[in-house]
Amino acid sequence: MSVFMLFLHEDQGQFDNRSHDEMMAVIKEYGAWAQLMREKGHYVGGEKLADDAGKVMRNKSGKIGVTDGPYAETKELVGGYFSIKAADYAEACRLAESCPHLKYGGRIEVRMVHEF
């Protein structure tokens, strides 16, 4: 089994128009999905990230530069991530299909972790 990162991309403000009760229901869906992955032996970890684009650091000719997150111009951010175990990309994508993030208009980037 390999480990895959599921990066949960979303538009900034995507969930802003939801009431507190609606957001709690959404959060429960994500938690239920994570629990299902645990029960099936696929869950490795995951967290919700802060609702901002974060910072990007680059080394340009020996000088470290810090800028606003990678998607500042498109207002897209990585809202969170899950780590799962799967046999291959096909299984990882099949498992990710049931993640509620897609239901709410998000995009999931699936990446295999290279183990050293």
Side-chain angles (χ1 to χ4, degrees):
M1 289 278 222
S2 296
V3 174
F4 292 84
M5 295 293 297
L6 308 180
F7 295 101
L8 308 181
H9 295 265
E10 62 193 55
D11 292 333
Q12 197 168 22
Q14 181 173 321
F15 292 102
D16 286 356
N17 294 328
R18 296 187 187 277
S19 71
H20 174 74
D21 290 341
E22 289 172 325
M23 275 312 302
M24 293 310 294
V26 169
I27 290 166
K28 280 182 128 176
E29 283 186 68
Y30 282 82
W33 185 83
Q35 182 59 35
L36 179 65
M37 292 297 106
R38 274 186 202 91
E39 291 168 2
K40 293 185 174 199
H42 294 288
Y43 186 83
V44 176
E47 293 292 336
K48 164 86 173 84
L49 300 178
D51 291 332
D52 63 43
K55 301 293 180 191
V56 174
M57 300 177 68
R58 290 183 175 87
N59 183 337
K60 291 185 180 180
S61 303
K63 290 186 178 185
I64 304 299
V66 180
T67 59
D68 287 338
Y71 308 111
E73 62 282 346
T74 63
K75 303 297 183 203
E76 181 182 79
L77 22 114
V78 178
Y81 68 90
F82 286 107
S83 298
I84 62 170
K85 290 187 273 186
D88 52 26
Y89 268 109
E91 183 181 28
C93 290
R94 184 181 54 75
L95 293 168
E97 282 180 8
S98 63
C99 180
H101 197 66
L102 296 172
K103 171 182 172 182
Y104 293 105
R107 177 173 68 84
I108 300 176
E109 177 182 351
V110 180
R111 300 285 305 272
M112 184 185 297
V113 175
H114 179 83
E115 297 190 35
F116 290 102

